[in-house]
Amino acid sequence: MVKNTYMRWRLPLICLLWEIAMIILFGVFVRFDPEADAHWKEEWHQKNLTSDIENDFYFRYPSFQDVHVMIFVGFGFLMTFLQRYGFGAVGFNFLLAAFGIQWALLMQGWFHSFENGKILIGVENLINADFCVGSVCIAFGAILGKTSPVQLLTLTLFQVTLFAVNEYILISLLHVKDAGGSMTIHTFGAYFGLTVTRILYRPNLEQSKDKQGSVYHSDLFAMIGTLYLWMYWPSFNSAVSNHGDAQHRAAINTYCSLASCVLTTVAFSSLLQKKGKLDMVHIQNATLAGGVAVGTSAEMMLTPYGSLIVGFLCGIVSTAGFVYLMPFLESKLKIQDTCGIHNLHAMPGLIGGIVGAVTAAAATEEVYGKEGLISAFDFTGDYKDWTPTVQGGFQAAGIFVSLAMALAGGAIVGAILKLPFLGDPADENCFEDDVYWEVPEDEESGLYHMHDPTLKPVTS
Amino acid sequence: MVKNTYMRWRLPLICLLWEIAMIILFGVFVRFDPEADAHWKEEWHQKNLTSDIENDFYFRYPSFQDVHVMIFVGFGFLMTFLQRYGFGAVGFNFLLAAFGIQWALLMQGWFHSFENGKILIGVENLINADFCVGSVCIAFGAILGKTSPVQLLTLTLFQVTLFAVNEYILISLLHVKDAGGSMTIHTFGAYFGLTVTRILYRPNLEQSKDKQGSVYHSDLFAMIGTLYLWMYWPSFNSAVSNHGDAQHRAAINTYCSLASCVLTTVAFSSLLQKKGKLDMVHIQNATLAGGVAVGTSAEMMLTPYGSLIVGFLCGIVSTAGFVYLMPFLESKLKIQDTCGIHNLHAMPGLIGGIVGAVTAAAATEEVYGKEGLISAFDFTGDYKDWTPTVQGGFQAAGIFVSLAMALAGGAIVGAILKLPFLGDPADENCFEDDVYWEVPEDEESGLYHMHDPTLKPVTS
Amino acid sequence: MVKNTYMRWRLPLICLLWEIAMIILFGVFVRFDPEADAHWKEEWHQKNLTSDIENDFYFRYPSFQDVHVMIFVGFGFLMTFLQRYGFGAVGFNFLLAAFGIQWALLMQGWFHSFENGKILIGVENLINADFCVGSVCIAFGAILGKTSPVQLLTLTLFQVTLFAVNEYILISLLHVKDAGGSMTIHTFGAYFGLTVTRILYRPNLEQSKDKQGSVYHSDLFAMIGTLYLWMYWPSFNSAVSNHGDAQHRAAINTYCSLASCVLTTVAFSSLLQKKGKLDMVHIQNATLAGGVAVGTSAEMMLTPYGSLIVGFLCGIVSTAGFVYLMPFLESKLKIQDTCGIHNLHAMPGLIGGIVGAVTAAAATEEVYGKEGLISAFDFTGDYKDWTPTVQGGFQAAGIFVSLAMALAGGAIVGAILKLPFLGDPADENCFEDDVYWEVPEDEESGLYHMHDPTLKPVTS
């Protein structure tokens, strides 16, 4: 079957119309948060602030920039491991994230920052928009190389919407704590993406199997993504935590969990391979599972050794997932998961939700202090009578809600993405940049084609 | 004509002599700002500070580091797209920026931080020095691949000098606001560079045309530069704004403008190409135009939707510039602009100046608050009777001054760069690293030469 | 002699056992620092803090993240210059650093943060752990490509231990100031690594000489490492300095020294090569020597021009070291130093120690102010009668202690690394990833092997 992948009218149209829609909606709804508004000096006097440094900008902006790097360089380059899909990995990730953050500012704004008919945005909204888009980047990993940019923008529109609904249910209705997003970002994003790729199952994908591998330098590009995700994950998990000790603690816990995870990833990468050699796929991905799995609990009193234990387990689970579970998912469940997000985000995300529920349920006044406990779990107002046990129960409920939203939402969105006019590539053109990109001239010289192991270099 | 590109005496001589000059001038003039001086604790008591966190270091250092990354990795790697000029792109950018920041500290210091015969430097001076060098990196983009390192250092010396004069006229004499440098950095830098490359016009440059393209991996290296520029641009535009709401607002406006710009760049990249495929040159460059174009207005109450509109337009203007204007500039006006800085910096810079003038002129007490308006535009002292309309007029004047300085300065400096002993490469050696660099051994193995599409791989 | 490089049991065993040991030790000893503990709000009231921004997190976290990038991306990518050892460079650096930071938190914690039987960790501990591991990354540079991952983990275990002892002697017993680690990190790390590589001398290493060079793109990957080290070095040298002016000053001095160093590196790279061309090895390494050499003195009143002078000299010393000293060290002293750490870390580290001692000895109340002098050198408590001259003497002593520890420690650890079951590669397999890594399929297509200049591309 010949597929029509000609993008010339479809892609520009969707980009322009949707961006115009953003402009109109921003014009109607979006204004600056008081801390970013020129009236702030007047608020200053009313709030008895003594210094500009009290502006939330200074508490969160460095973390925001780190998160921003994770979304665009981290996820973008992590996916450049494919030998002939580097442009698509970095470029489509760029496109969907740039659209997604705008739509997320609106969706999350309506739910969380809506006052007197206006959405008021500040640095925390920017971080949350990046977080929301992070879940789309995760889902993109499952369908990497198999979708058109129009499909990806469509996916982004729907997934951001569902993310915001799910987040609202968890954070606002169930009073769940999930500052680093084990549930809202990773569990939701990964199971959503896995469901979508299941719906989009391609029985003849082995036609492009030879392009699904990496080449030497593409693996090094991917390591840029890995390392930026790994290094900045402490910022990710602490970016929207409470000011002060909570941000501080979240960074420390994440640092510890990630360090531990590297060791068990290396151990199992070597152990599960007969020749005992290390596999770059594991190093690029499973080393990050420790960050995913403390996403909920990092701001709690998980303690450094607790974090080491979580990281220890996740390195094992994630690496074993790549070796044993991924082939099973593909052959038995027809889930073709290009980047292995099941191993990096889905399983560690679930673990993260569980660790968060247990850590919350185990909280005591002795460990947190009276004031600390109230502040850590926001046991004020309607929730002033909540106990850690109740909190733990609602945390657990959050896992199931996220899973349900992901599976139901992914099924619907997957079906939408099957619409024929969205321009998906034929099976033999998957994992191949030149369907949607102008590819430079080294193709002619033989170098680009040489990446294809079935071809020999051009000789005179 | 055989050119003498032998650098052994010329390059070391100029590097050593100029660095010695820097040492002497720093010795005579440069001291620490009070906030970086060991006497600061004493100032503390006098100024009734309550905390070390009031030190300007904590307000600006994270933004400084982001700007620093933009100058060295951002600009450096953005220019690595050429298949055989990666060393020159990253390496010469490194060299000229390292020299330029020292000279900028002096030049800007004499104009702005001179007290009792000494230049007092703190973190804000470091940022401004990086900004100044940013304009040189922009100009470098126009002449990339066609100049010797001695020419580039000479260019840097003069351009930094003229930048500081132009900046002084705008900021100090005309009381113009330009925190993100739409006029001082982008308009000035780009038109300066375009004038220089016009003067250095090479009628036979098509001799190295085959090397002006990219190869697959060089385009990925360039995307590292693009993404770091894109991600950190909110820091760039907010780095030297007033503490508090102004920095906060500048970051938000820039974030919005850049997001919008990506969508229209993708739309027009696909639309303007018959096959509808995306062109990496556009994605690498035009996506950044939105940051350039809010350089003046980002710290003002441009509002998020205003920013989206500016980004929307600039993505279109910049991409269309690559497709239609650039060939015209080369064939008709003899402007050979290697990186397309006319599309990324010149036009968006002008737009940025205009947007800034309009935004300033449209400012009202209602939108800014009484105190906010005075603080945003510094309507104090000699300027206490200024109105937004007056400010808008002077902003507009700033555009013309910057343009005039760029054209006149570029013409003179271009003429200087034609001096024969500066060691520029022959036409057939342009865009070729091995004129000035030791190139590693893969050349011998055929790999390096294979990048040249006219050659076939070596066969036994 | 055939070497057994089979890692399947040895590497997993050591990773798992040591990580379990970390978990147990963390469980027994490591708790949160009060500023990261949920009880912090209660401390707040006792300490009369007025804002969450007083938490040390906000003083140091941005610098911490920069240092983190230097360790993992900076050192990791700097070493990817080898044509066939990119996975080992980035991947083993990742592994040893992830283990090392955990062990460093313990070792440094016992010496410096031990209270009531517990190690209390906060953001400053994370920075110090990264610093400690930095010294291991340096030593790794000397033996890059010639060791197994098991050897590297063993090296890390011992070197971190000795680092902590040496640091304790210098900082706590000798009251030495060394915030950027010229002595504790660079001098110690480099001479330690050089001694180890001397002990591991391979007389027949020329068998893999053809793999010791770079290829075009591997040099660009290495420049990513270089630039991140260069750009973030101001954060490195200021990260653990006193709050306020000391951090501010350290950043400025380092910025100046590094800028100057680039100019003299370029000058001497060109000057010392007959054809006058620049050598990427020098640009990648010697440009960083200026940061090493102000590691001790950056937080002192070195002054910007003093910093320029130090950078000026170190660019020369380091580049000349690569050209003249390195071949001598290899042929006469049998020191095979893969990355040239003698030029980048050892000599500049010694210079840094000396500059620090002189700057300390030259300190006066006039320059620092009465209060400033006490604060800069911590002349309080037991040290309240110390003079700058005494301080300078002890600084000098610190150099000798670091050197002695490095040489003695390196000799012992080098001997341990010779144990036959640690799995080091044969001489002909050095600098070759596929001993320890699964290498992707482009090997089959001829591309990977083409990197080897002795091979021709596969032809049909």
Side-chain angles (χ1 to χ4, degrees):
Chain A
M1 193 185 81
V2 177
K3 299 261 191 174
N4 179 357
T5 59
Y6 187 66
M7 288 284 115
R8 193 171 178 194
W9 300 110
R10 287 176 278 187
L11 181 59
L13 207 68
I14 200 172
C15 285
L16 294 175
L17 284 182
W18 291 11
E19 189 56 49
I20 289 168
M22 290 299 115
I23 291 173
I24 294 168
L25 291 168
F26 268 61
V28 175
F29 290 109
V30 179
R31 297 294 178 272
F32 291 119
D33 181 278
E35 297 193 280
D37 192 284
H39 285 91
W40 191 56
K41 280 282 170 202
E42 292 164 19
E43 295 246 341
W44 235 70
H45 304 311
Q46 291 164 21
K47 289 192 182 169
N48 276 321
L49 296 177
T50 55
S51 166
D52 281 311
I53 200 94
E54 295 287 333
N55 194 304
D56 196 35
F57 182 77
Y58 302 103
F59 287 90
R60 305 212 185 271
Y61 188 71
S63 309
F64 158 66
Q65 276 294 6
D66 294 349
V67 171
H68 216 40
V69 171
M70 293 172 74
I71 300 299
F72 290 87
V73 161
F75 283 111
F77 272 88
L78 181 61
M79 296 188 285
T80 58
F81 73 99
L82 290 171
Q83 56 187 286
R84 306 173 76 155
Y85 207 71
F87 294 2
V90 162
F92 293 154
N93 187 69
F94 193 15
L95 172 63
L96 70 82
F99 169 68
I101 53 179
Q102 300 176 58
W103 181 228
L105 282 174
L106 287 166
M107 283 301 307
Q108 295 178 316
W110 283 316
F111 281 123
H112 300 291
S113 313
F114 203 56
E115 284 178 39
N116 302 318
K118 299 294 173 197
I119 295 166
L120 303 181
I121 65 171
V123 64
E124 194 169 343
N125 299 70
L126 306 190
I127 298 170
N128 280 316
D130 272 24
F131 278 179
C132 175
V133 158
S135 88
V136 183
C137 300
I138 291 165
F140 179 33
I143 55 177
L144 182 74
K146 300 176 293 186
T147 41
S148 76
V150 171
Q151 283 180 304
L152 291 172
L153 284 169
T154 310
L155 173 91
T156 305
L157 181 75
F158 288 108
Q159 190 178 348
V160 166
T161 309
L162 291 166
F163 178 100
V165 173
N166 184 52
E167 185 187 45
Y168 176 73
I169 297 172
L170 265 67
I171 308 298
S172 298
L173 303 186
L174 300 181
H175 194 254
V176 159
K177 306 295 284 182
D178 194 20
S182 289
M183 290 174 276
T184 54
I185 301 169
H186 298 286
T187 302
F188 172 77
Y191 284 102
F192 184 94
L194 291 166
T195 311
V196 168
T197 198
R198 174 64 192 80
I199 306 283
L200 300 180
Y201 178 65
R202 289 169 178 265
N204 301 313
L205 193 59
E206 77 282 358
Q207 290 185 17
S208 49
K209 210 78 187 174
D210 53 332
K211 283 174 272 178
Q212 268 201 69
S214 60
V215 288
Y216 194 67
H217 281 172
S218 73
D219 269 328
L220 283 176
F221 280 115
M223 278 304 289
I224 296 174
T226 298
L227 288 175
Y228 275 99
L229 289 169
W230 193 90
M231 296 179 304
Y232 285 163
W233 215 297
S235 298
F236 194 92
N237 284 348
S238 66
V240 296
S241 290
N242 288 338
H243 292 172
D245 58 292
Q247 280 199 287
H248 200 152
R249 185 162 62 244
I252 296 171
N253 280 330
T254 310
Y255 176 96
C256 289
S257 177
L258 286 163
S260 171
C261 189
V262 174
L263 275 280
T264 51
T265 298
V266 167
F268 275 74
S269 181
S270 173
L271 195 64
L272 301 181
Q273 215 262 4
K274 277 183 199 157
K275 296 185 206 156
K277 294 186 182 183
L278 297 170
D279 190 326
M280 274 307 251
V281 172
H282 307 156
I283 308 300
Q284 283 158 10
N285 290 280
T287 51
L288 301 168
V292 174
V294 296
T296 304
S297 55
E299 61 173 9
M300 303 175 188
M301 289 292 283
L302 178 61
T303 75
Y305 73 89
S307 306
L308 291 188
I309 294 171
V310 174
F312 187 94
L313 296 175
C314 283
I316 297 171
V317 167
S318 186
T319 308
F322 274 101
V323 176
Y324 297 118
L325 219 51
M326 215 169 140
F328 173 82
L329 290 179
E330 178 153 359
S331 61
K332 303 297 176 200
L333 301 186
K334 302 188 177 175
I335 295 172
Q336 294 159 325
D337 176 8
T338 312
C339 294
I341 64 165
H342 186 258
N343 314 303
L344 170 48
H345 298 282
M347 291 189 295
L350 286 180
I351 293 173
I354 297 164
V355 170
V358 172
T359 311
T364 63
E365 247 180 48
E366 197 196 331
V367 171
Y368 286 75
K370 190 178 170 65
E371 220 178 322
L373 191 66
I374 292 168
S375 155
F377 295 101
D378 193 24
F379 288 158
T380 55
D382 290 350
Y383 306 98
K384 74 174 159 31
D385 297 327
W386 274 35
T387 62
T389 322
V390 174
Q391 179 72 34
F394 277 82
Q395 294 283 138
I399 305 173
F400 292 100
V401 173
S402 299
L403 259 177
M405 286 288 292
L407 297 175
I412 296 165
V413 175
I416 294 170
L417 295 189
K418 292 194 93 165
L419 293 174
F421 54 84
L422 298 180
D424 62 314
D427 293 343
E428 65 269 27
N429 291 330
C430 284
F431 315 115
E432 172 64 60
D433 267 333
D434 77 5
V435 181
Y436 303 114
W437 295 86
E438 286 286 298
V439 172
E441 299 181 350
D442 48 339
E443 191 169 1
E444 271 81 59
S445 78
L447 186 71
Y448 181 79
H449 274 133
M450 281 178 54
H451 291 192
D452 177 350
T454 63
L455 292 180
K456 294 276 177 277
V458 180
T459 59
S460 63
Chain B
M1 194 184 81
V2 178
K3 298 260 190 174
N4 180 357
T5 57
Y6 187 66
M7 288 284 114
R8 193 171 178 195
W9 300 109
R10 285 177 279 187
L11 181 58
L13 206 67
I14 201 172
C15 285
L16 294 175
L17 285 183
W18 291 12
E19 189 56 48
I20 290 168
M22 290 300 114
I23 291 173
I24 295 169
L25 290 168
F26 269 62
V28 176
F29 290 110
V30 180
R31 298 294 178 271
F32 292 119
D33 180 280
E35 297 193 281
D37 192 284
H39 284 92
W40 191 55
K41 281 280 171 204
E42 292 164 19
E43 294 245 340
W44 236 68
H45 304 309
Q46 291 164 21
K47 290 191 180 169
N48 276 321
L49 297 178
T50 56
S51 165
D52 281 312
I53 200 95
E54 295 286 334
N55 195 304
D56 196 36
F57 182 78
Y58 301 104
F59 287 89
R60 306 212 184 271
Y61 189 72
S63 309
F64 158 66
Q65 277 294 7
D66 294 349
V67 170
H68 217 40
V69 171
M70 291 173 74
I71 299 299
F72 290 88
V73 161
F75 284 110
F77 272 88
L78 181 61
M79 296 188 284
T80 58
F81 72 99
L82 290 172
Q83 57 188 287
R84 305 172 78 156
Y85 207 73
F87 294 3
V90 162
F92 292 155
N93 187 70
F94 192 16
L95 172 63
L96 69 83
F99 168 67
I101 53 180
Q102 298 176 58
W103 181 228
L105 282 174
L106 287 166
M107 282 301 306
Q108 295 179 316
W110 282 316
F111 281 124
H112 300 290
S113 314
F114 202 57
E115 282 178 39
N116 302 320
K118 298 295 174 198
I119 295 166
L120 303 181
I121 65 171
V123 65
E124 194 170 340
N125 299 70
L126 306 190
I127 298 170
N128 279 316
D130 272 24
F131 277 179
C132 174
V133 158
S135 87
V136 183
C137 299
I138 291 166
F140 179 34
I143 54 177
L144 183 74
K146 301 176 294 187
T147 41
S148 76
V150 171
Q151 284 180 302
L152 292 172
L153 285 169
T154 309
L155 174 90
T156 306
L157 180 74
F158 288 109
Q159 191 179 348
V160 166
T161 308
L162 290 166
F163 178 99
V165 172
N166 184 53
E167 185 187 44
Y168 175 72
I169 296 172
L170 265 67
I171 308 298
S172 298
L173 302 187
L174 301 180
H175 194 254
V176 159
K177 305 297 284 182
D178 194 21
S182 289
M183 290 173 276
T184 54
I185 302 168
H186 299 287
T187 302
F188 172 77
Y191 283 102
F192 184 93
L194 291 167
T195 312
V196 168
T197 198
R198 173 63 191 81
I199 306 283
L200 299 181
Y201 179 64
R202 290 168 177 265
N204 301 311
L205 193 59
E206 77 281 1
Q207 291 186 17
S208 50
K209 210 76 186 176
D210 54 332
K211 283 173 270 176
Q212 268 202 70
S214 60
V215 289
Y216 195 67
H217 281 171
S218 72
D219 269 327
L220 284 175
F221 279 115
M223 278 304 289
I224 297 173
T226 297
L227 288 175
Y228 274 100
L229 289 169
W230 194 90
M231 297 179 303
Y232 285 164
W233 216 295
S235 297
F236 193 92
N237 284 347
S238 66
V240 296
S241 291
N242 288 339
H243 292 171
D245 59 292
Q247 281 198 289
H248 200 153
R249 187 162 61 243
I252 296 171
N253 280 329
T254 309
Y255 177 95
C256 289
S257 177
L258 286 163
S260 171
C261 189
V262 174
L263 276 279
T264 52
T265 297
V266 167
F268 274 75
S269 183
S270 175
L271 194 65
L272 301 181
Q273 216 259 4
K274 278 183 197 156
K275 297 184 205 154
K277 294 185 181 182
L278 297 170
D279 189 325
M280 275 307 249
V281 172
H282 307 155
I283 308 302
Q284 282 159 9
N285 290 280
T287 51
L288 301 168
V292 174
V294 296
T296 303
S297 55
E299 62 174 8
M300 303 176 189
M301 289 292 283
L302 178 61
T303 75
Y305 72 90
S307 306
L308 291 189
I309 293 171
V310 175
F312 187 94
L313 295 175
C314 283
I316 297 172
V317 166
S318 187
T319 308
F322 274 101
V323 177
Y324 297 118
L325 218 52
M326 216 170 140
F328 173 82
L329 290 179
E330 179 153 0
S331 61
K332 302 298 176 199
L333 300 186
K334 301 186 176 175
I335 295 173
Q336 294 160 325
D337 176 8
T338 311
C339 294
I341 64 165
H342 186 258
N343 315 302
L344 170 48
H345 298 282
M347 291 190 295
L350 286 179
I351 294 172
I354 296 165
V355 170
V358 172
T359 312
T364 62
E365 248 180 48
E366 197 195 331
V367 171
Y368 287 75
K370 191 178 169 65
E371 222 179 318
L373 190 66
I374 292 168
S375 156
F377 295 102
D378 194 25
F379 288 158
T380 55
D382 291 350
Y383 306 98
K384 75 175 158 32
D385 297 327
W386 275 35
T387 62
T389 322
V390 173
Q391 179 73 34
F394 277 82
Q395 293 283 137
I399 305 172
F400 291 100
V401 172
S402 298
L403 259 177
M405 287 288 291
L407 298 175
I412 295 165
V413 174
I416 293 170
L417 295 189
K418 292 195 91 163
L419 292 174
F421 53 84
L422 299 180
D424 62 313
D427 292 342
E428 66 269 25
N429 291 330
C430 284
F431 314 115
E432 172 64 59
D433 266 334
D434 78 3
V435 182
Y436 303 113
W437 296 85
E438 287 287 298
V439 172
E441 299 180 351
D442 48 340
E443 192 171 2
E444 270 82 59
S445 77
L447 186 71
Y448 180 79
H449 273 134
M450 280 179 55
H451 292 193
D452 176 350
T454 63
L455 292 180
K456 296 274 178 276
V458 181
T459 59
S460 63
Chain C
M1 193 184 82
V2 178
K3 299 261 191 175
N4 179 358
T5 58
Y6 187 67
M7 288 285 113
R8 193 172 179 194
W9 300 111
R10 286 177 279 186
L11 181 59
L13 206 68
I14 200 171
C15 286
L16 294 175
L17 285 183
W18 291 12
E19 189 56 50
I20 290 167
M22 291 299 115
I23 291 172
I24 295 168
L25 290 168
F26 268 61
V28 175
F29 291 109
V30 179
R31 297 296 179 270
F32 291 119
D33 179 280
E35 297 193 280
D37 193 282
H39 284 91
W40 191 55
K41 281 280 171 202
E42 292 165 19
E43 293 246 342
W44 236 68
H45 304 312
Q46 291 165 21
K47 289 193 181 170
N48 276 320
L49 295 178
T50 56
S51 165
D52 281 311
I53 200 93
E54 295 287 333
N55 195 304
D56 196 36
F57 182 77
Y58 301 103
F59 287 90
R60 305 212 185 273
Y61 188 72
S63 309
F64 157 65
Q65 276 294 8
D66 295 347
V67 171
H68 217 38
V69 171
M70 292 173 73
I71 299 300
F72 290 87
V73 161
F75 282 111
F77 272 88
L78 181 62
M79 296 189 286
T80 58
F81 73 99
L82 290 171
Q83 57 189 287
R84 306 172 78 155
Y85 207 72
F87 294 3
V90 162
F92 292 156
N93 186 69
F94 192 17
L95 171 63
L96 71 83
F99 169 68
I101 53 179
Q102 299 176 59
W103 181 227
L105 282 174
L106 287 166
M107 282 301 306
Q108 295 179 316
W110 282 316
F111 281 124
H112 300 290
S113 314
F114 202 57
E115 283 179 40
N116 302 320
K118 299 294 173 197
I119 296 166
L120 303 182
I121 65 171
V123 65
E124 194 169 342
N125 299 68
L126 306 190
I127 298 170
N128 279 316
D130 272 24
F131 277 179
C132 175
V133 158
S135 87
V136 183
C137 299
I138 292 166
F140 178 32
I143 54 178
L144 183 74
K146 300 175 294 186
T147 40
S148 76
V150 171
Q151 283 181 302
L152 292 172
L153 284 169
T154 310
L155 173 90
T156 305
L157 180 75
F158 288 109
Q159 191 178 347
V160 165
T161 309
L162 291 166
F163 178 98
V165 172
N166 183 52
E167 185 186 45
Y168 175 73
I169 296 173
L170 265 66
I171 308 298
S172 299
L173 302 186
L174 301 180
H175 193 255
V176 159
K177 307 296 283 181
D178 194 21
S182 289
M183 290 174 275
T184 52
I185 302 169
H186 299 286
T187 302
F188 171 77
Y191 284 101
F192 184 93
L194 291 166
T195 311
V196 168
T197 197
R198 173 64 190 81
I199 305 284
L200 300 179
Y201 179 65
R202 288 168 178 266
N204 302 313
L205 193 59
E206 77 281 359
Q207 291 185 17
S208 49
K209 209 77 186 175
D210 54 334
K211 283 174 270 176
Q212 267 202 69
S214 60
V215 288
Y216 195 67
H217 280 172
S218 73
D219 269 326
L220 284 176
F221 279 116
M223 278 304 289
I224 297 173
T226 298
L227 288 175
Y228 274 99
L229 289 169
W230 194 90
M231 296 179 304
Y232 285 163
W233 216 294
S235 297
F236 194 92
N237 284 347
S238 65
V240 297
S241 291
N242 288 339
H243 292 172
D245 58 292
Q247 280 198 289
H248 200 153
R249 188 163 59 244
I252 296 171
N253 281 329
T254 309
Y255 177 96
C256 289
S257 178
L258 286 163
S260 171
C261 189
V262 174
L263 275 279
T264 51
T265 298
V266 168
F268 275 75
S269 183
S270 175
L271 194 65
L272 301 182
Q273 214 261 4
K274 278 184 198 156
K275 296 185 205 156
K277 294 185 183 183
L278 297 170
D279 190 326
M280 275 308 251
V281 172
H282 307 155
I283 308 302
Q284 282 159 9
N285 291 280
T287 51
L288 301 168
V292 174
V294 296
T296 304
S297 55
E299 63 173 8
M300 303 176 189
M301 289 292 283
L302 179 59
T303 75
Y305 72 89
S307 306
L308 292 188
I309 293 171
V310 174
F312 187 94
L313 295 175
C314 283
I316 297 172
V317 167
S318 186
T319 309
F322 274 101
V323 178
Y324 297 118
L325 219 51
M326 217 170 140
F328 173 82
L329 290 179
E330 179 154 359
S331 61
K332 302 299 175 197
L333 301 187
K334 301 186 177 175
I335 295 172
Q336 293 160 326
D337 176 8
T338 311
C339 294
I341 64 165
H342 186 258
N343 314 302
L344 170 49
H345 298 282
M347 291 190 294
L350 285 179
I351 293 173
I354 296 165
V355 170
V358 172
T359 310
T364 63
E365 247 180 48
E366 197 195 331
V367 171
Y368 286 75
K370 191 176 168 67
E371 221 179 319
L373 190 66
I374 292 168
S375 156
F377 295 100
D378 194 24
F379 288 157
T380 55
D382 290 350
Y383 305 99
K384 74 174 158 31
D385 297 328
W386 274 35
T387 62
T389 321
V390 173
Q391 179 72 33
F394 276 82
Q395 294 284 137
I399 305 172
F400 292 100
V401 173
S402 299
L403 258 177
M405 287 288 291
L407 297 174
I412 296 164
V413 174
I416 294 169
L417 296 189
K418 291 195 93 164
L419 292 174
F421 53 84
L422 298 180
D424 62 314
D427 293 343
E428 66 270 27
N429 291 331
C430 285
F431 315 115
E432 172 65 60
D433 267 334
D434 77 3
V435 181
Y436 304 113
W437 296 84
E438 286 287 298
V439 172
E441 299 180 351
D442 48 338
E443 192 170 2
E444 271 81 59
S445 77
L447 187 71
Y448 180 79
H449 273 134
M450 279 179 54
H451 291 194
D452 177 349
T454 61
L455 291 180
K456 295 276 176 277
V458 180
T459 58
S460 63

